[in-house]
């Protein structure tokens, strides 16, 4: 399985959108400064997760979310999944 995810840091009030195969390993990487963007904070929290059968589907979903360039859009995805 492959995943598209959105994480949030309250300390810097930012969202990060990504895709991966091993969600737990990827989240640990974000929390342990293994990503240039997410090393700015240590309080990343998973807010949204989508599951796909292929890497390309997960990546396409990630790109679609990023293409929107909209915090409102990201927050609507999070709210609609609850």
């Amino acid at each position: 399985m492959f995943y598209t995810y959105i994480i949030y840091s309250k300390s810097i009030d930012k969202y990060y959108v990504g895709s991966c195969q091993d969600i737990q390993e990827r989240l640990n990487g974000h929390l342990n400064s293994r990503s240039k963007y997410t090393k700015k904070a240590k309080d990343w929290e998973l807010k949204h997760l989508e599951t796909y059968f292929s890497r390309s589907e997960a990546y396409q979903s990630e790109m679609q979310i990023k293409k929107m360039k909209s915090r409102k859009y990201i927050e609507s995805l999070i709210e609609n999944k609850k």
Side-chain angles (χ1 to χ4, degrees):
M1 301 304 289
F2 296 88
Y3 304 94
T4 299
Y5 62 92
I6 299 172
I7 56 177
Y8 175 74
S9 168
K10 188 174 183 177
S11 65
I12 61 172
D13 191 29
K14 299 276 185 196
Y15 288 97
Y16 177 87
V17 179
S19 59
C20 66
Q21 185 171 11
D22 185 338
I23 190 66
Q24 196 56 52
E25 181 181 318
R26 189 67 181 123
L27 290 175
N28 287 338
H30 287 302
L31 291 170
N32 293 303
S33 302
R34 291 189 205 130
S35 170
K36 185 177 179 180
Y37 181 85
T38 59
K39 72 179 178 180
K40 299 174 187 174
K42 298 283 186 209
D43 63 340
W44 294 101
E45 176 181 326
L46 183 64
K47 292 291 188 177
H48 179 77
L49 185 66
E50 298 173 3
T51 305
Y52 297 95
F53 289 108
S54 72
R55 183 180 307 276
S56 65
E57 288 175 307
Y59 181 73
Q60 286 172 0
S61 176
E62 174 190 354
M63 292 297 105
Q64 180 64 35
I65 295 168
K66 288 179 174 179
K67 186 172 122 180
M68 298 301 285
K69 295 184 187 270
S70 170
R71 183 181 180 109
K72 260 187 185 172
Y73 179 72
I74 288 172
E75 289 173 346
S76 75
L77 283 176
I78 294 166
E79 283 302 310
N80 289 330
K81 284 290 184 168
K82 287 184 178 180

